[in-house]
Amino acid sequence: LLRYFERGIDGIHLKVVTEQGELVNNVGVDLSSAKRTITYNGYVHRPTVEGAQTVTLKAPGYAAQTLTINPSSFDGTYQTVVLRAR
């Protein structure tokens, strides 16, 4: 049971902001290891399997961005990603 909870903190941890530093709402997040898009508002905590993940972020009015991220345990910090307006 403990391992189940520990695995719940492993994943992708992002803070998605505009060029002005404001949180972006309605961010669709696609992972190379997942079959569906999940939508977040600014802060993304998405559990995933081990190994590098191709992550695509998209939001209305912004250019989509794709990056490769290695999942990690959540330690209270987020990697900041800037989406640029179209």
Side-chain angles (χ1 to χ4, degrees):
L1 185 61
L2 180 59
R3 182 68 186 137
Y4 172 79
F5 288 118
E6 288 173 343
R7 287 197 46 98
I9 64 171
D10 291 340
I12 307 299
H13 317 286
L14 306 172
K15 179 181 177 184
V16 185
V17 298
T18 66
E19 293 173 284
Q20 292 75 33
E22 299 173 3
L23 290 176
V24 177
N25 290 319
N26 299 315
V27 179
V29 179
D30 292 318
L31 294 178
S32 55
S33 65
K35 294 181 180 178
R36 65 184 177 123
T37 300
I38 298 180
T39 302
Y40 296 85
N41 286 321
Y43 289 96
V44 175
H45 169 73
R46 179 119 186 229
T48 185
V49 297
E50 295 178 7
Q53 297 288 310
T54 300
V55 181
T56 301
L57 306 169
K58 52 193 172 190
Y62 295 89
Q65 185 169 348
T66 300
L67 32 116
T68 301
I69 299 177
N70 286 311
S72 61
S73 294
F74 184 59
D75 63 2
T77 60
Y78 291 87
Q79 176 180 341
T80 301
V81 177
V82 177
L83 289 187
R84 305 210 186 306
R86 285 190 245 178

